[in-house]
Amino acid sequence: MANDRRAQLLSGNEACVRGALAAGVRFFAGYPITPSTEIAEGLAAALPKVGGTFIQMEDEIASMGAVIGASLAGVKAMTATSGPGFSLKQENIGFAAMAEVPCVIVDVQRYGPSTGLPTSPAQGDIMQARWGTHGDHPIIALMPASVRETFDLTVEAFNLAEELRTPVILLLDEIVGHMRERVELPPDESVHVVNRTKPVEDPETFQPYKPGPNLVPPMPAFGDGYHFHVTGLAHDESGFPTGRGQDADRLVRRLHAKIQNRKPPVARAEEWQLEDAEIVVVAAGSVARSARAAVREARVRGIKAGLLRPITAWPFPENEVREAARRAAAMIVPELNLGQIVREVERVSGGETKIVPLNRIDAELITPAEILERIQEVAAHVD
Amino acid sequence: MSIEELLERYTRRDKLPHIWCPGCGNGIIMGAVIRALDQAGVDQKKTVIVSGIGCSSRAPGYMKFDTLHTTHGRALAYATGVKLARPELKVVVLTGDGDCAAIGGNHLIHAARRNIDLTVVVFNNDIYGMTGGQYSPLTPQGSYATTAPYGTVDRNFDLCELVKAAGGTYVARGTTYHTRMLIDLISAGLGHKGFSFIEVVSQCPMYYGRKNKLASAVAMLEWQKEHAVPVKAAAKLTPEQLKGKFVIGELHREEAPEYTEVYAEVVARARGEEK
Amino acid sequence: MEKAPGVITVNEKWCKGCGICIAFCPAKVFTAREDGKPVVTNPDACTRCGLCELRCPDFAISLGGKSHGE
């Protein structure tokens, strides 16, 4: 599907579809849920045109299972959902982490808990993205703040999934998913696309979970003749369950290490006006847009404010936050929940700076004026 | 093919002997599946075996194919993804009565409805064995289980009727006693284009038999022998005469468009419109 | 496990002594040992029907040779 270079008006959900196609997605399984449905609709139309497959499954759980099956059969696979569906997918996301199956899960966050306010924005799934499935699993979650970045991070989600053989979550929120912006997308051929590494060994001696130099095992597809076994049970390098605690220990530590040790680091954040900032606003996703406007306005008023925007919710950009905390007099953490990112900021900053939450859960977005007001209040007290 | 040749060719011999209890029907069914795969002449390199969770779902781990041991109840969902991504692969699902009819029941009826080309073999031992003997949706009403100390209240499913009603296009029932027939039924299912479903009435002497006055594998196979009625014989019997019995053999077969083939037409149509 | 053609063998390491082969052999070829595992005590009666192999849950019985059944 050729992208033209002209600027076009796209929603975040539509940009996600375009990014997935540019990254080479060939399979989508999903279940209708607001506010993510446009992603399913877009791929239902687009995938057959590129020889891919779209299926609307009987439920969210089945969708996640089908995505894992398709990925094991060798194609790039994804699903898209929102809060309630994200909850239902969690067990199988854990399977993908344990069995090292690359896949992308889009969660367009909406107001919860439970059915909540289906068409209203929230950022309440940040911790669910991290800890939603049971056990000590690693996870990657990306949080775009614009339509163009949704395109870019969808591509990156697939690239990281393929490189590291891991599920990657794209955490949109209802605002980013539904807002429309004029964007210019890169032509497909200029998009950097990563594909999983295939094994070169003889199938007879192949060890399907023997890690390569980057701690990631090369991955054959079903039907390639490797006769390999895939299980959610703790397994050794042969892929078979052993029941031995030390094998489980080695496996789970490697699952974490392959993400933690990756160079360049998976964790990253955008730093804006941070060099001399005394008050740092830490905000992600749609809230970062208001935060940027507030920081700009604060600067106009002579307050040395800056923005630190986590691009990866997970791994959390610890180094960036720690460094900013060391230099800042205060950090303000606005988010559309009762305090999820702020817990990480508090943990990482280790008491180096004053931390001020700013939370909103009335289904409205946080405005630049609110953040500016908080910046001004804090500025009045730090000097 | 001799048993040695079968084991050498189709099993991961270093993983044997298996974990199943003495007299468990799972080994008999797994043997029948291997013989049926051989009989049907499937391409071993292009065959994927998918299972859920439970005693029976350990079978793929012993089989020398591409094998996928998924989450509880979800084998059919994973298998659907495998088949859709690579329709040229033969995809076989091995599942248990709890896995397939309780937690996976929704996936079962929808896979049947789609008539997607999967072959499903249900190891029906009437009980949750892995967790120690709790009742399943196939436990006969009134029998005993660790979670039914006074007898089950729930009515049990007739899975074959369920799958037939949901749209499955090949439906059969066999037993671990009638092993030769079982091999033929599975082999026919493998040869059928569309959703093929074989329920195998099996035995769990350890957790079902002991609680229900069938204290050994031998007693349970005797019970199968006495209560199974072949399709042809059943046709001549009245519902009264069939009471308490169960019918074995090929119960239903029809030709209907297969899902991945229909989707291939969608792909062609979508690409044609683009020109 | 012996592989002499035409000789029924029981892999004792795999056999779990369930007794299915003993009970259902149409020719009564097997006898149970004290531990329940089968011993071939009547080999001449064997018709090579193959049911013991097919019904053995442990893949522990071999008829030996290549042909059986049909």
Side-chain angles (χ1 to χ4, degrees):
Chain A
M1 176 169 170
N3 290 318
D4 66 41
R5 288 189 66 83
R6 284 172 306 151
Q8 48 194 319
L9 196 61
L10 286 182
S11 71
N13 284 347
E14 288 165 346
C16 177
V17 169
R18 300 290 287 270
L21 290 164
V25 69
R26 287 296 177 272
F27 185 86
F28 180 99
Y31 187 84
I33 184 166
T34 303
S36 75
T37 308
E38 297 84 2
I39 298 172
E41 289 169 345
L43 286 164
L47 275 171
K49 292 184 185 175
V50 295
T53 311
F54 169 91
I55 186 168
Q56 184 173 309
M57 294 294 283
E58 55 272 18
D59 59 35
E60 298 277 6
I61 300 170
S63 307
M64 195 61 225
V67 162
I68 294 170
S71 181
L72 286 164
V75 306
K76 293 187 182 178
M78 74 179 289
T79 186
T81 187
S82 186
F86 193 43
S87 298
L88 287 168
K89 290 185 192 301
Q90 290 297 337
E91 185 193 6
N92 285 326
I93 292 173
F95 182 96
M98 188 67 154
E100 300 183 73
V101 184
C103 54
V104 172
I105 303 101
V106 183
D107 172 26
V108 187
Q109 297 172 91
R110 74 186 212 188
Y111 193 101
S114 190
T115 314
L117 295 167
T119 59
S120 296
Q123 295 178 320
D125 299 350
I126 291 167
M127 285 298 171
Q128 186 179 204
R130 179 64 196 87
W131 300 112
T133 195
H134 61 282
D136 258 319
H137 63 288
I139 202 76
I140 297 173
L142 309 174
M143 276 186 88
S146 70
V147 170
R148 173 58 204 257
E149 194 181 32
T150 300
F151 176 91
D152 293 337
L153 291 188
T154 304
V155 173
E156 185 170 341
F158 275 98
N159 287 351
L160 288 168
E162 292 286 315
E163 177 191 328
L164 297 170
R165 283 190 67 172
T166 191
V168 176
I169 292 160
L170 189 68
L171 267 182
L172 305 188
D173 56 50
E174 189 275 338
I175 298 168
V176 173
H178 279 165
M179 80 186 167
R180 305 185 85 82
E181 292 185 298
R182 286 187 74 78
V183 291
E184 194 173 302
L185 298 182
D188 281 354
E189 59 276 14
S190 75
V191 174
H192 174 63
V193 171
V194 176
N195 296 310
R196 62 192 69 169
T197 302
K198 288 228 177 191
V200 290
E201 288 94 328
D202 180 349
E204 289 301 316
T205 54
F206 177 61
Q207 293 278 88
Y209 286 91
K210 185 178 176 189
N214 60 348
L215 301 180
V216 181
M219 183 177 177
F222 286 158
D224 284 355
Y226 279 88
H227 290 163
F228 63 109
H229 186 60
V230 178
T231 178
L233 284 166
H235 44 272
D236 64 13
E237 293 184 352
S238 73
F240 290 95
T242 69
R244 281 193 298 268
Q246 62 267 39
D247 290 331
D249 177 291
R250 191 178 309 118
L251 169 62
V252 176
R253 286 184 195 281
R254 179 176 62 75
L255 297 182
H256 284 265
K258 72 180 178 182
I259 293 172
Q260 286 299 335
N261 299 357
R262 194 252 192 184
K263 296 281 181 286
V266 176
R268 63 191 175 94
E270 180 197 356
E271 299 180 354
W272 189 68
Q273 306 268 346
L274 221 53
E275 299 76 25
D276 61 342
E278 290 168 356
I279 296 171
V280 174
V281 183
V282 182
S286 63
V287 178
R289 303 168 71 90
S290 294
R292 192 185 306 272
V295 165
R296 189 181 295 121
E297 190 57 33
R299 288 266 168 184
V300 170
R301 295 173 192 215
I303 301 169
K304 288 182 176 168
L307 171 67
L308 181 63
R309 180 175 70 89
I311 294 170
T312 53
W314 309 109
F316 191 69
E318 297 184 357
N319 293 338
E320 291 82 351
V321 172
R322 190 177 294 117
E323 187 56 33
R326 204 170 288 145
R327 297 196 314 246
M331 288 178 127
I332 299 171
V333 189
E335 46 187 329
L336 288 174
N337 56 47
L338 284 177
Q340 298 194 15
I341 294 174
V342 74
R343 299 170 72 97
E344 288 302 293
V345 174
E346 283 169 348
R347 177 179 68 82
V348 168
S349 62
E352 290 274 352
T353 189
K354 181 184 159 99
I355 290 162
V356 183
L358 171 53
N359 309 103
R360 198 158 176 177
I361 56 161
D362 62 350
E364 297 295 330
L365 45 93
I366 299 177
T367 63
E370 281 175 275
I371 299 172
L372 177 63
E373 192 185 333
R374 190 61 54 94
I375 292 172
Q376 287 173 311
E377 282 170 19
V378 172
H381 288 93
V382 294
D383 294 325
Chain B
M1 201 178 275
S2 73
I3 181 77
E4 287 84 7
E5 288 165 322
L6 279 168
L7 291 172
E8 190 58 36
R9 177 153 177 198
Y10 294 112
T11 70
R12 295 160 167 149
R13 287 194 75 144
D14 60 319
K15 304 295 172 200
L16 293 170
H18 53 63
I19 59 164
W20 297 313
C21 304
C24 171
N26 289 352
I28 303 177
I29 303 172
M30 183 185 139
V33 169
I34 285 171
R35 290 173 173 102
L37 285 161
D38 185 63
Q39 185 172 312
V42 305
D43 181 348
Q44 197 173 358
K45 283 189 176 170
K46 299 291 177 193
T47 301
V48 183
I49 306 195
V50 186
S51 67
I53 294 290
C55 293
S56 58
S57 290
R58 291 300 184 94
Y62 302 116
M63 299 168 73
K64 202 195 286 177
F65 293 83
D66 287 329
T67 50
L68 174 55
H69 178 221
T70 72
T71 49
H72 193 26
R74 316 304 173 197
L76 278 163
Y78 282 64
T80 297
V82 172
K83 183 69 187 177
L84 286 174
R86 293 188 77 172
E88 72 274 21
L89 297 178
K90 171 66 73 183
V91 182
V92 179
V93 174
L94 306 183
T95 175
D97 46 308
D99 194 55
C100 156
I103 189 166
N106 198 30
H107 310 310
L108 175 65
I109 57 173
H110 288 278
R113 173 177 65 83
R114 293 185 189 106
N115 194 34
I116 185 166
D117 188 24
L118 305 173
T119 300
V120 182
V121 179
V122 182
F123 296 44
N124 173 18
N125 62 3
D126 294 332
I127 207 82
Y128 285 85
M130 189 69 95
T131 45
Q134 299 75 31
Y135 65 92
S136 87
L138 294 184
T139 305
Q141 189 177 24
S143 14
Y144 296 92
T146 58
T147 46
Y150 309 106
T152 53
V153 176
D154 298 40
R155 292 193 294 174
N156 49 296
F157 265 137
D158 181 329
L159 261 196
C160 289
E161 286 296 325
L162 180 71
V163 171
K164 181 180 156 191
T169 50
Y170 175 90
V171 180
R173 185 185 287 118
T175 78
T176 45
Y177 175 79
H178 304 83
T179 325
R180 262 193 227 298
M181 178 200 280
L182 178 60
I183 296 166
D184 290 340
L185 292 172
I186 299 170
S187 176
L190 289 165
H192 175 79
K193 189 87 186 166
F195 189 80
S196 55
F197 181 86
I198 302 99
E199 177 194 344
V200 190
V201 175
S202 182
Q203 74 277 9
C204 175
M206 193 63 79
Y207 294 113
Y208 184 85
R210 287 204 299 209
K211 277 211 178 293
N212 290 282
K213 296 187 176 144
L214 291 162
S216 70
V218 170
M220 297 187 84
L221 290 198
E222 288 285 1
W223 182 91
Q224 290 180 10
K225 186 176 148 189
E226 284 159 19
H227 292 78
V229 183
V231 177
K232 275 188 187 164
K236 294 174 193 146
L237 298 178
T238 63
E240 260 320 290
Q241 290 169 312
L242 277 172
K243 210 167 178 201
K245 309 272 188 185
F246 63 95
V247 182
I248 57 170
E250 184 179 305
L251 305 178
H252 176 69
R253 188 203 277 265
E254 65 177 299
E255 297 302 319
E258 192 276 322
Y259 193 90
T260 62
E261 291 187 352
V262 177
Y263 196 84
E265 291 169 18
V266 168
V267 169
R269 216 153 53 230
R271 292 185 139 172
E273 281 162 11
E274 205 183 26
K275 280 174 194 167
Chain C
M1 191 169 9
E2 290 170 37
K3 286 192 178 176
V7 177
I8 304 171
T9 52
V10 177
N11 179 343
E12 286 204 29
K13 283 185 187 158
W14 288 10
C15 173
K16 292 171 184 165
C18 69
I20 289 175
C21 54
I22 303 166
F24 295 103
C25 173
K28 302 292 167 209
V29 167
F30 303 98
T31 310
R33 289 194 323 208
E34 259 182 40
D35 63 0
K37 292 189 180 181
V39 187
V40 180
T41 45
N42 194 9
D44 296 341
C46 176
T47 63
R48 302 187 63 70
C49 72
L51 284 170
C52 56
E53 244 189 47
L54 296 178
R55 288 198 187 120
C56 175
D58 300 300
F59 315 117
I61 300 182
S62 168
L63 280 184
K66 294 210 177 201
S67 63
H68 62 74
E70 323 314 322

